[in-house]
Amino acid sequence: MLRNCCGLIVADDRRIQLGELSRPRALSAMPFGGRYRIIDFALSNMVNSGIRTIGVSTYNKYQSLMDHIGTGSDWDLDRKTQGLYLLPPFINSESYGMTGPTDDLSGVINLFRDLKQKYIVILSSNVLMNADFTELDTFHHDRNADITVMYNRDGAKGGPPNTILDMTRLGRIKGVYENPLNPVSNRSSMGVVFMERELFVQILGDAISRGESNIDIDYLLKQYDRLRVYGFEFKGTVLRINSTQDYFKETMRVLSEPERSDIFWPERPVFTKVKDEAPAIYSDSCVVEDSLISDGCLIQGAVHHSMLFRGVTVSGQARLTNCVVFQDSHISEGCELENVIIDKDCIIRPGIKLIGQAAYPVVIGKGSVV
Amino acid sequence: MKKELLAMILAGGQGSRLGCLTREVAKPAVPFGSRYRIIDFTLSNCTNSGIDTVGVLTQYQPLALNTYVGNGHPWDLDRSNGGAFILPPYQHMAGSDWYTNTANAIYQNIRFIDNFNPSYVLVLSGDHVYKMRYSSMLEEHLSSGADTTIAVYEVPWDEASRFGIMNADEDGRIVEFEEKPAKPKSNLASMGIYLFNWPLLRRALIEDEADETSDHDFGKNIIPKLLGEGHKLMTYRFSGYWKDVGTIRSLWESNMDILDRPDDIDLRDKSWRIYSRNPVKPAHYIAPGARVRGSALTDGCQIFGDVEHSVLSHSVIVEKGATVRDSVLMPGVIVREGARLEKVIVGMGTVIGRDAVIGGRSDTSNPYHESRLCADNITLIDGGLTLRDGSVVPGNAMVHNDVDVKGAESVIVDTEPVPAL
């Protein structure tokens, strides 16, 4: 367990847009895995690693994120001392109404300057895994590192943003490349960084004085020429959500083993906001195979290789194959859907046919009636 | 701070007719309906009716119930001002007393109730499955100017002699109360839900406690006493779904009602949610080749086999080639490959061995045969057990550790404590 460590979750990433899906919400508030939001993995990994003070930095569309994390009670982060801090852009009377980039950093530096923990873990929100950061701490001390970054070997296949690390044999970083045309290695940063809190505050202060206004985890890694920056390889399942296609592909991946067990079923549970739905009800005529189904669903049709979030209804004679259906959407009778992502609160009217491609799913935006 | 209405939930009973299911767990904490414990219905009714101060009186096997209710957070009862209170019996200068009966349990908590200085006190049972708007009951209580209002339920005439029957005039005013009358004059059964004006109840409890001939029971003593004193006792008619989950058969039936009469109990009603405390588990997984029909499932289940017309709680695993029919599986049950279950209730955390055959036709010669508690070919398997591969247990049997199985091989190979949550 990390006993002397605080955390920062960078809850959104300007480089990543999921089109229709990210229109109403920040990246970290994206629903994932049937009953979670993306940020649940970051928060749970931190809490399961012993971190009790967590800042969540976000720059826009954070209403659904605030809605979801609330006081942090679902992660036991509603503490009198320590707990959860939401860090929206810093706006004061001088900056109000000014155009130009928002100031994401001032709020972050104000919080972390005053904390007492010696170390900090920083997470980006587009990479999902189920990890214990204690190993990171051990590695960090073994190497006598200033900064340690977690990576895996996804480098060759990943679309942008993809931060490739060039490393010595001992794991020290000697080069950092963003979206290179010809990657020097397949080591790709997972956006997970461990370091001393004071060093973080110092680098952040530096960045502010250079006119930076956004949090950029790569900015920390690029200190490799003056600090001892090391890479730590993570061997478990890693899901990267950089685009709508990625989102669809990674969702389909967690339906099968070993990804399903790796992400959802280790000793470390993934915590999320509790919704008191009824149990899922399967009718006498339904056919469900190879799918993850959440509470509150009512299934009368056929569901194959799909993921249904809470409160989804699938009427009789409807057929879903390779579909992802968000909370409270309704699929009417006789619909035929294949390779479709349906956002929250949609109604698909009787007999509608929607066929996407595995590499290019059809996306139905939040609240649509088709 | 003064509260208008305070609820006291009687949750200390053993529920001995549920057999081994209530050996380590009080009846209100028995898992029910895939996602719930029985007491969830009463607690959620309180919250949904705007009652924010609830005393839960515990006595028999309180560990699971105390752990489950906790600070009342799942029911929005974690309040700075009011909230959920677990009220066990306690020691005092003159010694210590168990709760000897329903009225005595409330009597022993007069000081707790006085703290909130309520105008009205609602006395409830923690072991009924129903959805009732207590605030409507209070409105009727106020408009009728009653001293006490008792919820009643119309039961079939031929069953009326099994209940406490309220004989009321045409305005709903109770003229007589009869406990299990041989010749019932009415079919209005008391639901054990009482709304009292607190000053009146307070005095009645103190006087009843001093009466050495009294059994200190609401139905038997307090209600007749108030009637005898000429107070105005009114009925409050309830017509929705209501089930006293008192026996193994009614427990099985009311679980099946979720599948067969979904509109009656309507768990999907968003305006009246039933809240519960559940461990955080992933969405449930239905594997390729699995078959799930006519069933209720919840988070954390993993199904590789066949499930038909059954109610599964969280974290249940049904392995490949196993079939589960007409059964109720409580949290964490594992059904190993090739096992067959028919009309079985399985307690928390039990593992059914490979190719076991559980349930089906009754066999009176089986060592686990239980004619006293089991009926209708329902089989009951205790929680925390591991059943031998290939074991055979017929219908109307109850498998638990206390059965002496002389001359036959025990089907139990291992026992672990039943988890509290």
Side-chain angles (χ1 to χ4, degrees):
Chain A
M1 292 291 259
L2 299 172
R3 283 184 196 82
N4 195 9
C5 187
C6 55
L8 170 64
I9 297 170
V10 184
D12 212 340
D13 190 327
R14 287 180 165 80
R15 299 170 297 177
I16 298 171
Q17 296 299 333
L18 303 191
E20 198 62 5
L21 295 176
S22 59
R23 191 172 46 84
R25 50 177 85 87
L27 176 62
S28 55
M30 273 289 293
F32 188 85
R35 56 171 308 185
Y36 305 101
R37 303 282 182 142
I38 283 181
I39 197 169
D40 293 341
F41 294 86
L43 283 171
S44 303
N45 284 338
M46 284 194 175
V47 168
N48 288 334
S49 303
I51 299 173
R52 296 289 177 268
T53 304
I54 299 173
V56 176
S57 151
T58 176
Y59 70 95
N60 71 3
K61 297 182 285 190
Y62 41 81
Q63 189 211 332
S64 73
L65 182 65
M66 286 169 67
D67 229 33
H68 181 69
I69 58 182
T71 59
S73 64
D74 291 304
W75 299 267
D76 274 343
L77 289 170
D78 52 335
R79 305 291 82 172
K80 285 202 169 162
T81 56
Q82 311 186 339
L84 192 70
Y85 301 87
L86 196 70
L87 306 166
F90 197 77
I91 299 170
N92 57 21
S93 50
E94 283 119 68
S95 61
Y96 182 75
M98 284 172 60
T99 51
T102 55
D103 178 7
D104 305 354
L105 293 183
S106 301
V108 173
I109 203 165
N110 285 346
L111 171 66
F112 286 96
R113 195 171 38 212
D114 297 338
L115 291 177
K116 299 284 175 282
Q117 286 83 0
K118 183 154 190 218
Y119 298 100
I120 182 169
V121 171
I122 304 147
L123 297 184
S124 58
S125 49
N126 60 325
V127 183
L128 270 69
M129 71 241 145
N130 195 319
D132 183 351
F133 299 134
T134 316
E135 294 175 350
L136 199 58
D137 171 61
T138 315
F139 177 89
H140 184 82
H141 285 96
D142 279 355
R143 293 294 191 282
N144 194 24
D146 295 315
I147 296 176
T148 300
V149 58
M150 228 182 211
Y151 71 88
N152 79 341
R153 305 271 184 167
D154 277 346
K157 50 186 177 185
N162 183 10
T163 303
I164 297 293
L165 306 173
D166 190 13
M167 289 165 47
T168 67
R169 269 192 309 142
L170 292 171
R172 182 160 177 181
I173 289 173
K174 57 176 185 181
V176 176
Y177 306 93
E178 284 178 53
N179 311 323
L181 277 178
N182 300 304
V184 290
S185 85
N186 61 359
R187 296 183 173 95
S188 177
S189 161
M190 289 165 58
V192 179
V193 171
F194 185 86
M195 63 201 292
E196 285 191 16
R197 182 184 51 81
E198 283 186 1
L199 178 61
F200 171 68
V201 170
Q202 189 195 319
I203 295 176
L204 211 61
D206 228 42
I208 290 175
S209 67
R210 285 165 199 270
E212 296 277 344
S213 57
N214 305 328
I215 295 180
D216 184 357
I217 288 175
D218 290 350
Y219 187 86
L220 300 169
L221 306 184
K222 284 175 189 156
Q223 312 293 318
Y224 63 85
D225 48 357
R226 62 179 193 96
L227 295 171
R228 295 168 57 84
V229 183
Y230 277 80
F232 171 78
E233 183 170 1
F234 180 73
K235 299 245 169 67
T237 297
V238 176
L239 309 175
R240 289 171 187 266
I241 298 174
N242 295 336
S243 63
T244 307
Q245 284 77 3
D246 281 351
Y247 177 84
F248 187 64
K249 191 185 75 197
E250 300 294 51
T251 296
M252 291 297 142
R253 243 177 97 201
V254 291
L255 287 176
S256 43
E257 295 291 1
E259 287 85 352
R260 189 169 59 86
S261 296
D262 247 21
I263 292 285
F264 298 132
W265 285 100
E267 289 296 287
R268 300 177 296 272
V270 185
F271 301 101
T272 187
K273 180 174 168 181
V274 173
K275 292 243 173 77
D276 288 85
E277 293 283 355
I281 302 288
Y282 292 73
S283 82
D284 291 332
S285 58
C286 76
V287 179
V288 182
E289 267 192 318
D290 198 10
S291 296
L292 276 164
I293 313 287
S294 308
D295 273 343
C297 287
L298 176 63
I299 307 175
Q300 291 163 320
V303 180
H304 297 279
H305 199 254
S306 294
M307 168 118 40
L308 305 190
F309 286 69
R310 291 186 268 212
V312 169
T313 48
V314 178
S315 309
Q317 270 93 50
R319 246 187 102 75
L320 272 65
T321 311
N322 299 338
C323 288
V324 184
V325 187
F326 290 3
Q327 205 177 312
D328 290 331
S329 280
H330 175 79
I331 317 292
S332 309
E333 288 191 6
C335 286
E336 200 174 314
L337 310 178
E338 198 175 328
N339 296 314
V340 183
I341 303 176
I342 297 170
D343 206 322
K344 261 176 93 166
D345 298 325
C346 288
I347 297 173
I348 311 296
R349 287 207 294 242
I352 298 284
K353 264 188 202 170
L354 293 168
I355 313 285
Q357 295 300 311
Y360 208 90
V362 173
V363 178
I364 307 296
K366 185 175 172 181
S368 306
V369 178
V370 179
Chain B
M1 188 180 143
K2 182 173 171 61
K3 298 279 178 193
E4 185 187 30
L5 177 60
L6 177 147
M8 298 291 274
I9 302 179
L10 299 163
Q14 176 184 355
S16 55
R17 285 173 302 159
L18 288 181
C20 56
L21 281 179
T22 51
R23 246 167 9 126
E24 289 174 37
V25 177
K27 184 160 85 167
V30 168
F32 173 82
S34 176
R35 257 187 86 79
Y36 310 99
R37 304 288 180 113
I38 295 170
I39 198 174
D40 284 334
F41 290 84
T42 309
L43 285 171
S44 302
N45 287 341
C46 285
T47 301
N48 290 333
S49 302
I51 300 173
D52 62 11
T53 309
V54 179
V56 181
L57 294 99
T58 63
Q59 173 160 291
Y60 174 82
Q61 285 287 16
L63 173 66
L65 191 56
N66 290 357
T67 315
Y68 188 71
V69 174
N71 65 351
H73 178 76
W75 306 271
D76 264 356
L77 290 171
D78 52 333
R79 305 288 178 119
S80 310
N81 188 353
F85 295 82
I86 300 276
L87 302 168
Y90 53 90
Q91 280 191 327
H92 46 84
M93 291 294 274
S96 58
D97 298 308
W98 294 105
Y99 294 152
T100 53
N101 212 331
T102 49
N104 172 263
I106 304 292
Y107 168 81
Q108 291 201 41
N109 286 289
I110 285 178
R111 280 182 44 216
F112 166 78
I113 300 172
D114 279 346
N115 264 331
F116 295 100
N117 188 24
S119 308
Y120 311 99
V121 169
L122 185 63
V123 176
L124 304 166
S125 311
D127 46 13
H128 295 167
V129 174
Y130 67 114
K131 298 199 288 193
M132 185 192 277
R133 193 181 294 275
Y134 303 134
S135 40
S136 306
M137 187 177 180
L138 177 63
E139 277 162 26
E140 264 202 43
H141 181 78
L142 294 174
S143 63
S144 70
D147 298 307
T148 296
T149 300
I150 301 172
V152 293
Y153 189 77
E154 226 172 284
V155 295
W157 277 97
D158 56 330
E159 288 179 29
S161 56
R162 292 184 15 228
F163 293 88
I165 294 295
M166 299 290 170
N167 300 323
D169 65 16
E170 62 266 34
D171 300 327
R173 181 164 178 166
I174 299 166
V175 292
E176 191 188 9
F177 170 75
E178 289 181 290
E179 183 68 39
K180 298 191 176 130
K183 289 206 176 79
K185 292 178 216 144
S186 133
N187 66 340
L188 295 178
S190 166
M191 297 167 70
I193 298 168
Y194 308 103
L195 180 57
F196 295 100
N197 291 349
W198 174 234
L200 172 69
L201 174 64
R202 192 179 189 283
R203 183 181 55 75
L205 287 172
I206 293 171
E207 288 173 9
D208 177 71
E209 188 62 24
D211 178 1
E212 287 186 6
T213 61
S214 170
D215 288 329
H216 312 307
D217 182 84
F218 273 102
K220 212 167 152 193
N221 307 106
I222 300 290
I223 300 304
K225 175 180 162 66
L226 295 177
L227 273 175
E229 290 172 4
H231 292 287
K232 187 173 182 186
L233 276 67
M234 298 293 291
T235 53
Y236 173 75
R237 282 195 182 228
F238 178 78
S239 57
Y241 183 94
W242 178 65
K243 206 128 201 176
D244 176 354
V245 195
T247 61
I248 288 169
R249 182 177 163 178
S250 68
L251 177 67
W252 182 83
E253 275 175 0
S254 45
N255 269 292
M256 292 302 140
D257 284 345
I258 289 174
L259 307 174
D260 304 336
R261 300 166 57 188
D263 297 332
D264 291 347
I265 181 72
D266 196 9
L267 297 171
R268 298 171 58 81
D269 179 2
K270 294 204 169 172
S271 67
W272 202 269
R273 282 192 201 261
I274 304 302
Y275 304 100
S276 60
R277 186 187 292 275
N278 271 288
V280 180
K281 297 280 176 182
H284 58 270
Y285 178 66
I286 313 291
R291 242 188 92 197
V292 180
R293 295 219 167 145
S295 295
L297 275 76
T298 189
D299 297 336
C301 290
Q302 301 186 68
I303 311 300
F304 302 86
D306 232 12
V307 176
E308 202 178 310
H309 198 245
S310 295
V311 175
L312 276 56
S313 296
H314 73 79
S315 312
V316 165
I317 299 175
V318 177
E319 292 187 353
K320 225 168 128 178
T323 57
V324 176
R325 234 170 277 287
D326 304 325
S327 295
V328 177
L329 309 188
M330 292 186 180
V333 166
I334 299 174
V335 181
R336 294 275 184 230
E337 263 177 54
R340 290 203 333 254
L341 271 62
E342 191 185 328
K343 220 172 175 181
V344 189
I345 299 176
V346 187
M348 286 173 76
T350 283
V351 180
I352 308 286
R354 275 167 173 253
D355 301 317
V357 180
I358 316 288
R361 234 181 302 163
S362 173
D363 174 5
T364 47
S365 67
N366 188 279
Y368 295 101
H369 183 74
E370 170 65 73
S371 57
R372 203 169 44 88
L373 297 171
C374 291
D376 281 354
N377 287 344
I378 299 168
T379 301
L380 179 61
I381 313 284
D382 198 4
L385 304 179
T386 301
L387 298 198
R388 187 182 304 286
D389 289 352
S391 44
V392 177
V393 180
N396 283 342
M398 179 161 88
V399 178
H400 61 100
N401 254 327
D402 293 348
V403 180
D404 199 7
V405 280
K406 278 191 211 97
E409 194 184 30
S410 168
V411 298
I412 302 169
V413 285
D414 195 14
T415 313
E416 277 181 26
V418 178
L421 268 187

